[in-house]
Amino acid sequence: MGEELFLDKGIFKKIGIKRYLKFKSMPVSIYIKIYESKVVKVADRSDHSSEDIVQKYSQKGVAHLFMEAPEYEVFMDLIENKVTQLLVSEKISTEEKVTAQVDAIEDVQGSIANLGLTDKSWAFSNTIAESTLQTVKKYPNLQSVFKKMTEANNLNAKISSMTSYISMTIAAMMGINSAETSKKLGLAAILQDVILEENNHVLITSL
């Protein structure tokens, strides 16, 4: 284990540990938060056992890890490219499509929180909204779709995904048939809680 370092949000970027394990497609240095303002390196980019190390922390209940900013940006580009392929695919099931949509919302919310609203994150958000719109058109009765959403781990992404579907469905029921309007509703839902730093903040009902 490395030395303790100050958690400078300009240097270290947070990512869900399950997302890392699902898309571990490049070597990165991995840091774990040990205090409110401190991180420590637990695996170097050259460490071939990094996956086992991350799994160990995941089993202990650690929800997030941290990467250095340059590696985070490249890692997120890889994730977004892979998830985009799922969002536009015609060959996967509705359940797989919905899972990809919820995962994509978690990814884009994390990317915007860490890097701001960039052209890439805006384009990715549009892709998610378009994918959601196509699913709404295909399945007017969304009960099975919502059931799949409730299985997601990320509460913020789950709520945003459901809000996206519900807003688009209400618009369709009201006779608002503009695809552009529906996409904007979806985008608003995707980005609604992007500034929240912790998942459980979506449960706060009063200050």
Side-chain angles (χ1 to χ4, degrees):
M1 186 175 289
E3 65 175 310
E4 296 179 10
L5 300 170
F6 177 68
L7 178 52
D8 185 331
K9 293 184 179 179
I11 298 175
F12 300 107
K13 305 300 181 181
K14 183 170 70 172
I15 185 171
I17 203 165
K18 294 185 184 300
R19 297 303 286 158
Y20 168 79
L21 289 170
K22 188 171 183 177
F23 292 96
K24 50 189 182 304
S25 53
M26 62 173 277
V28 296
S29 295
I30 298 166
Y31 299 80
I32 298 294
K33 185 164 77 170
I34 53 174
Y35 305 114
E36 194 59 36
S37 60
K38 297 281 187 178
V39 293
V40 63
K41 183 188 286 189
V42 295
D44 190 77
R45 63 179 61 85
S46 60
D47 193 337
H48 298 295
S49 62
S50 59
E51 183 181 346
D52 293 335
I53 294 171
V54 174
Q55 285 280 15
K56 179 185 72 175
Y57 281 101
S58 179
Q59 291 165 5
K60 289 182 177 180
V62 175
H64 298 92
L65 53 82
F66 290 81
M67 298 178 186
E68 294 170 17
E71 292 184 342
Y72 173 85
E73 289 189 50
V74 176
F75 192 84
M76 289 308 298
D77 281 346
L78 291 172
I79 288 182
E80 290 178 8
N81 288 336
K82 288 185 177 182
V83 175
T84 295
Q85 292 175 16
L86 296 175
L87 294 175
V88 302
S89 175
E90 299 292 337
K91 298 180 180 180
I92 63 175
S93 68
T94 301
E95 289 76 15
E96 291 172 312
K97 181 82 74 173
V98 172
T99 296
Q101 290 163 356
V102 177
D103 286 346
I105 291 173
E106 177 180 352
D107 295 332
V108 78
Q109 289 178 339
S111 180
I112 293 171
N114 280 311
L115 304 174
L117 183 58
T118 64
D119 290 342
K120 287 182 180 179
S121 57
W122 178 248
F124 191 39
S125 298
N126 271 275
T127 301
I128 302 167
E130 178 63 31
S131 177
T132 302
L133 176 59
Q134 295 308 316
T135 307
V136 169
K137 288 180 177 179
K138 191 174 181 181
Y139 295 96
N141 183 350
L142 294 173
Q143 183 175 354
S144 62
V145 174
F146 285 149
K147 185 176 184 298
K148 185 63 182 177
M149 287 180 200
T150 61
E151 299 172 4
N153 292 312
N154 186 293
L155 182 60
N156 196 350
K158 183 191 307 186
I159 291 173
S160 291
S161 185
M162 286 185 169
T163 304
S164 181
Y165 271 90
I166 291 169
S167 61
M168 288 183 181
T169 302
I170 291 173
M173 292 174 66
M174 293 176 64
I176 301 174
N177 298 315
S178 166
E180 190 62 30
T181 298
S182 293
K183 277 184 63 177
K184 287 179 179 178
L185 289 169
L187 283 167
I190 290 166
L191 303 177
Q192 64 178 344
D193 288 323
V194 71
I195 65 169
L196 298 181
E197 294 188 359
E198 300 294 339
N199 240 320
N200 60 0
H201 288 174
V202 300
L203 299 175
I204 297 174
T205 57
S206 62
L207 296 178

